[in-house]
Amino acid sequence: MPRMFLNGTAMSGGADHHLVGGAPLVARTSTAPRYRFHAVGGRYPALEDVGEGGAAVEGEVYDLSYEQLREVLLPGEPDGLELGVIELADGSGSLAMVLRREYPALPELTDISGLASWRAYQERS
């Protein structure tokens, strides 16, 4: 089963957590400190791999079936994101939704790397 890192509204307690279905939570963890973390139009989060000088972003890792990933979770993701592979704090890899590299009409990005948490951003907004 693919491991999927979630860092937004699909995390436990979030408005879109139902998209995870009954997938088991593997870990509450963070990314390696190589990502900028953005609020896209204030609506959803996005990771951007910048290599050195990034932040460790909080999230959750789930074991999803390919069917759940393909049929439920991915169709619910916004257009400004794409499926990618990220590095977690322990050096392992995971699938995750990342900022689309080329997207002509991406809404305004607000860098929230200092918060490193979508929940913390929402509490401040």
Side-chain angles (χ1 to χ4, degrees), residues 20-39:
V20 176
L25 174 66
V26 174
R28 287 184 173 86
T29 188
S30 64
T31 66
R34 59 178 298 138
Y35 300 92
R36 300 308 300 166
F37 194 45
H38 304 284

Side-chain angles (χ1 to χ4, degrees), residues 68-125:
Q68 185 75 11
L69 183 62
R70 181 185 64 244
E71 303 296 329
V72 181
L73 187 65
L74 292 180
E77 293 292 341
D79 289 343
L81 300 177
E82 63 186 8
L83 188 62
V85 177
I86 62 158
E87 181 182 358
L88 297 174
D90 66 2
S92 67
S94 177
L95 295 174
M97 298 308 294
V98 298
L99 186 65
R100 188 175 293 276
R101 287 177 223 139
E102 294 185 25
Y103 192 73
L106 195 62
E108 178 184 353
L109 298 178
T110 303
D111 191 327
I112 59 171
S113 302
L115 295 172
S117 163
W118 183 246
R119 290 179 177 142
Y121 169 74
Q122 288 186 310
E123 288 172 7
R124 293 183 72 184
S125 296

